[in-house]
Amino acid sequence: EAGVTQFPSHSVIEKGQTVTLRCDPISGHDNLYWYRRVMGKEIKFLLHFVKESKQDESGMPNNRFLAERTGGTYSTLKVQPAELEDSGVYFCASSQGQGARNYEQYFGPGTRLTVT
Amino acid sequence: LAKTTQPISMDSYEGQEVNITCSHNNIATNDYITWYQQFPSQGPRFIIQGYKTKVTNEVASLFIPADRKSSTLSLPRVSLSDTAVYYCLAWMDSSYKLIFGSGTRLLVRP
């Protein structure tokens, strides 16, 4: 079974440009999460999808970030316009369902975003 | 969600048992204790989860005393490949999101 995949693995863009990150969750996983780690900080939750609906986007830093999950399959995270402080590693994770019996979140390898 | 505290780093040698203790004094009734492992350039990977007493799987054991204010992850006979960062998290089953702390950086030496 394929794991969570993320594309690209690394992106270098200039301040003010737009970048779109993509996440393909494990097939059949309704729950999809985005996290990020900025330099020297801890991994932080960004948002959570259940199928195509945003369940919780309390961790999104500001309105320059837009996440979508059309059709409830893959998800994209767009940063527009990118700022220097957006540099970091963006992780996507998916889980089969909510609740203790389906708790395990499977993480992708992350996308390293560098804004210069 | 409860705040967790764990050592910043630990050193061990191959073949030894490693115990990483995590404090979570304000853990809530609905919180589970969850441990994730992260290797460089990879995403975190689930290791084990428990609510109380002892849980064991093929990778590790998790000991949670009755007061649930702390927990201990036990890795039997570590190898060099167990060198990683280990995160202790309090996870609420109605909340789903993971709150990561700084983790414990475990270095296993030959």
Side-chain angles (χ1 to χ4, degrees):
Chain A
E1 178 183 282
V4 176
T5 58
Q6 294 187 243
F7 182 83
S9 58
H10 193 182
S11 178
V12 181
I13 62 172
E14 295 183 352
K15 176 182 174 180
Q17 290 185 323
T18 297
V19 63
T20 300
L21 313 180
R22 172 170 171 146
C23 168
D24 286 78
I26 293 173
S27 178
H29 282 193
D30 287 340
N31 294 273
L32 187 149
Y33 315 82
W34 284 97
Y35 296 83
R36 76 169 182 177
R37 169 188 274 140
V38 295
M39 188 62 66
K41 298 293 183 63
E42 298 161 355
I43 299 172
K44 296 290 188 184
F45 167 84
L46 296 179
L47 87 160
H48 170 214
F49 284 99
V50 177
K51 297 183 180 180
E52 67 276 10
S53 299
K54 292 176 184 175
Q55 187 83 353
D56 179 357
E57 51 186 328
S58 62
M60 295 288 266
N62 52 60
N63 58 11
R64 295 186 293 104
F65 290 75
L66 175 64
E68 295 180 323
R69 192 183 182 195
T70 305
T73 54
Y74 70 92
S75 174
T76 58
L77 180 64
K78 179 188 289 187
V79 185
Q80 180 183 27
E83 298 290 344
L84 298 178
E85 64 264 26
D86 300 332
S87 295
V89 181
Y90 290 76
F91 293 104
C92 176
S94 70
S95 68
Q96 187 172 10
Q98 296 187 39
R101 298 188 64 183
N102 295 297
Y103 43 70
E104 183 176 349
Q105 292 186 22
Y106 296 81
F107 281 77
T111 292
R112 181 173 296 277
L113 174 63
T114 302
V115 182
T116 62
Chain B
L1 293 172
K3 177 178 172 58
T4 61
T5 303
Q6 53 186 122
I8 293 175
S9 64
M10 294 182 67
D11 280 16
S12 183
Y13 290 92
E14 281 190 292
Q16 290 188 332
E17 177 184 74
V18 171
N19 296 309
I20 306 175
T21 298
C22 177
S23 298
H24 26 81
N25 291 321
N26 60 339
I27 192 169
T29 302
N30 292 338
D31 287 349
Y32 289 75
I33 302 304
T34 302
W35 286 80
Y36 277 74
Q37 173 192 55
Q38 186 178 24
F39 297 111
S41 301
Q42 295 186 25
R45 183 176 73 124
F46 172 87
I47 300 177
I48 197 167
Q49 176 167 306
Y51 186 78
K52 59 182 177 181
T53 64
K54 178 182 175 181
V55 179
T56 297
N57 61 23
E58 65 278 6
V59 177
S61 295
L62 178 60
F63 301 90
I64 305 173
D67 66 7
R68 302 199 335 119
K69 293 185 181 301
S70 67
S71 60
T72 299
L73 174 73
S74 181
L75 305 172
R77 296 181 299 280
V78 294
S79 64
L80 297 177
S81 62
D82 292 317
T83 293
V85 178
Y86 292 81
Y87 295 98
C88 167
L89 305 95
W91 180 88
M92 187 185 300
D93 64 359
S94 61
S95 171
Y96 49 80
K97 62 186 175 185
L98 299 174
I99 308 297
F100 288 87
S102 301
T104 297
R105 189 172 299 274
L106 173 66
L107 174 62
V108 180
R109 303 177 185 273

